[in-house]
Amino acid sequence: MNNINEKRSFCINKISLSFNKKYEVLFLKKYFSNSIFQFRIAFLLNTLIYASFTYLDTLVIPEYATLFYFIRFYFVVPLCSFVLILSFFKFFEKIWQALLLICHITTGVGLSIMTLLASDNYSYYAGMMLIFLVGYFFIKLRFLYATIANWAILIFFNIAFLIYPNTSDIILISYNFIFISANIIGMVAAYNIEYYARNDFYLNKELDIQKGLVEDYNKNLEDLVQERTKELVKAKNEAEKSDKLKSAFLANISHEIRTPMNGIFGFTRLLKELNLKGEPNEYINIIEQSGVRMLNLINDIIDVSKLESGLVISDIKATNLSELIKYIYTFFKPEAKSKGIHLQSNNQITGKDIIIKTDHEKIYAVLTNLVKNAIKFTETGTIEFGYHLEHNEQKTTVLKFHVKDSGIGIPKDKQEAIFDRFIRADISNEQVYEGAGLGLSIAKAYVEMLDGEIWLKSEEGLGSTFYFTIPYIPDSKENVTNESVFQVNLIKN
Ligand code: ADP
């Protein structure tokens, strides 16, 4: 691809003012098309003025009026009119500067003869000045041609003056002073005008080139974007395909693992029923506990994978919160008791059942996780959980849940990180607690899916309180589901 930033410099011949061939052709074309109208008008006016001066001839120098008439109407006016007519033909563009040069020299030579014959009449001398001006600025002769033509006229004027016997040297010298000065001034001015016209032309051309390059560049960019989009669409399709495979794999694996686990649990239960005494019974308990841990871990991993692949959606329906809390309380009570911990549920909304619209499975999962953790990380004391209504900062009513324990607490620097996957705060603790560090990250994802927030307050050695909120949307119909929502997703240790 061409480099857009590539710099070319403005290069012209300093004397003839011509570009290199390619630009020169383009410039002459442009110069012609820009000048042709002005040329015709100027040339017509010029010819008419030249013809009209016949009147002056008869007034100031009647003895030469016939000769001057002859010069004007037999040479200059026919030639200029002929060139004007030619300007309407196509080939004119190729020879117009040469024709203009000839016309201008003819006009100037004619006037030189008149000035020579009427050398003491300043009208013709002034006419010569006008001729120089016309050549440089009026009829669109290019600088080089105008210079050649005007100096040629001046040379002819001088030769004719020297040859003609009745002329005074003073007049010749004084005329030359003025004519040469006029020629030099006209030449320099015409040079500058053409120089800047060419510079303009060059800059416009450069601009066109750069514009073309930018367009090319954009086109390439568009092609590139199209190509990349195609690749991305392909990659997306492949990702979707593999995502589907992943989902199918997850569904299968969860089923496949749970089935043999049920076998293990079933036979463990049968073995337990044999009431074996001593070591065998201990082994059976270990098998059962390890099975439970494994199943919990698998369930967590499957939940995380589902969250990651966007398979989890919220299922909002009427949920009886009072029942849910009661169920969790009943479920965890024996476990807490066996550890010597006092478990209590404390709802500030009393009276009739609280029924709201929410995803009860997710609320259940979050609460059980928090209560399970509270029991796990508490050795003595009390665990209390419940909810109450609260107005948040946006002045909307939310349900605020809490799970408070008197356990080991969480160090300040770990309090944020424990909501990330696989992060555990108790890793340096002397007592080894089981867990993969997934439960809170799942809880956080669920709460956020329900437009809520989750956070904690904790003091190391004193205990922790976990809070989470969800929008309070009372159910108007009050038709509550009391099916197997609470079927154990989490199996008690
Ligand atoms: P885990 O399966 O390890 O319990 P979680 O994501 O539920 O995973 O918890 C992450 C970590 O947060 C735990 O390993 C523990 O260090 C800390 N933690 C969670 N709840 C409590 C709590 N109630 N008291 C003390 N530490 C807790």
Side-chain angles (χ1 to χ4, degrees), residues 369 373-374 376-377 405 408-410 418 423-426 434-441 464 466:
N369 244 306
N373 275 348
K376 184 160 74 176
F377 296 106
D405 66 51
I408 59 168
I410 300 163
I418 53 168
I423 300 291
R424 292 176 52 181
D426 57 295
E434 65 171 81
L438 288 174
L440 285 179
S441 72
S464 319
F466 282 80

Side-chain angles (χ1 to χ4, degrees), residues 13-135:
N13 183 309
K14 289 280 183 293
I15 294 170
S16 67
L17 285 183
S18 45
F19 288 116
N20 66 28
K21 202 160 168 43
K22 187 180 124 212
Y23 267 1
E24 186 63 12
V25 173
L26 293 173
F27 174 76
L28 291 181
K29 238 182 160 51
K30 185 99 187 146
Y31 185 70
F32 178 76
S33 64
N34 283 349
S35 308
I36 186 71
F37 180 72
Q38 192 194 326
F39 152 76
R40 284 187 188 130
I41 301 288
F43 221 63
L44 182 66
L45 288 176
N46 199 36
T47 314
L48 288 176
I49 291 168
Y50 203 82
S52 69
F53 269 64
T54 311
Y55 178 67
L56 189 75
D57 299 341
T58 51
L59 274 186
V60 298
I61 190 149
E63 66 271 29
Y64 288 119
T66 317
L67 174 65
F68 289 7
Y69 182 87
F70 186 77
I71 293 172
R72 289 184 199 281
F73 288 97
Y74 282 79
F75 284 95
V76 178
V77 173
L79 181 65
C80 290
S81 309
F82 180 62
V83 170
L84 198 58
I85 292 165
L86 285 186
S87 78
F88 292 94
F89 290 90
K90 222 171 168 345
F91 62 86
F92 184 71
E93 185 181 343
K94 293 216 162 51
I95 49 168
W96 75 301
Q97 287 289 314
L99 289 176
L100 252 64
L101 179 105
I102 294 168
C103 285
H104 191 61
I105 293 178
T106 313
T107 314
V109 165
L111 201 65
S112 296
I113 295 169
M114 295 180 209
T115 312
L116 177 72
L117 294 177
S119 59
D120 45 358
N121 191 308
Y122 284 102
S123 311
Y124 294 92
Y125 149 81
M128 282 293 281
M129 293 293 284
L130 286 179
I131 283 290
F132 292 138
L133 288 182
V134 163

Side-chain angles (χ1 to χ4, degrees), residues 25 95 124 176 178 189 346 365 367 378 410 417:
V25 173
I95 49 168
Y124 294 92
N176 262 319
I178 303 298
N346 177 11
L367 269 174
T378 304
I410 300 163

Side-chain angles (χ1 to χ4, degrees), residues 142-363:
R142 278 182 43 216
F143 152 77
L144 188 67
Y145 289 90
T147 307
I148 293 171
N150 282 335
W151 285 104
I153 292 166
L154 196 59
I155 290 166
F156 174 85
F157 172 81
N158 273 292
I159 294 171
F161 238 87
L162 290 174
I163 295 170
Y164 191 62
N166 298 338
T167 49
S168 101
D169 286 352
I170 307 285
I171 288 185
L172 181 64
I173 291 166
S174 64
Y175 276 18
N176 262 319
F177 257 98
I178 303 298
F179 290 164
I180 289 170
S181 306
N183 246 340
I184 291 171
I185 293 168
M187 218 173 84
V188 173
Y191 182 93
N192 280 328
I193 291 170
E194 190 170 326
Y195 182 89
Y196 287 110
R198 281 175 180 269
N199 197 13
D200 259 15
F201 170 81
Y202 169 80
L203 290 178
N204 277 329
K205 270 276 152 293
E206 275 301 294
L207 222 62
D208 285 349
I209 292 171
Q210 297 290 335
K211 210 172 112 196
L213 289 177
V214 171
E215 274 163 10
D216 269 8
Y217 193 73
N218 279 346
K219 175 92 189 43
N220 284 339
L221 219 61
E222 268 167 32
D223 291 350
L224 205 72
V225 169
Q226 261 175 18
E227 205 175 290
R228 288 281 144 82
T229 313
K230 262 190 212 154
E231 282 169 15
L232 280 175
V233 169
K234 203 173 148 208
K236 183 181 150 250
N237 288 341
E238 271 165 20
E240 274 172 5
K241 207 167 124 196
S242 88
D243 207 46
K244 277 185 193 142
L245 282 175
K246 187 176 154 190
S247 311
F249 170 77
L250 280 175
N252 288 341
I253 204 79
S254 62
H255 177 74
E256 287 309 316
I257 292 175
R258 278 192 189 117
T259 313
M261 287 309 285
N262 281 339
I264 294 171
F265 287 133
F267 280 101
T268 317
R269 216 173 299 126
L270 285 178
L271 278 174
K272 266 184 147 180
E273 277 169 18
L274 292 177
N275 274 331
L276 299 170
K277 296 267 175 299
E279 279 188 5
N281 193 37
E282 259 175 54
Y283 299 157
I284 294 166
N285 282 337
I286 291 170
I287 293 173
E288 193 181 37
Q289 279 166 19
S290 305
V292 168
R293 276 178 77 164
M294 188 163 156
L295 202 56
N296 283 342
L297 180 66
I298 287 164
N299 281 335
D300 278 354
I301 291 174
I302 289 171
D303 284 348
V304 166
S305 314
K306 280 183 180 168
L307 276 165
E308 220 173 51
S309 44
L311 291 175
V312 182
I313 44 164
S314 46
D315 178 20
I316 307 289
K317 48 189 166 193
T319 302
N320 188 327
L321 275 187
S322 320
E323 246 184 55
L324 188 143
I325 295 289
K326 207 157 84 192
Y327 183 89
I328 293 174
Y329 175 79
T330 320
F331 184 81
F332 283 105
K333 182 80 183 152
E335 188 183 343
K337 202 172 165 197
S338 72
K339 274 188 91 176
I341 303 166
H342 179 60
L343 180 70
Q344 68 184 53
S345 69
N346 177 11
N347 303 325
Q348 286 167 17
I349 311 166
T350 49
K352 63 175 192 145
D353 284 355
I354 299 294
I355 299 161
I356 58 157
K357 276 191 163 168
T358 191
D359 185 327
H360 58 241
E361 289 214 38
K362 295 207 172 51
I363 300 294

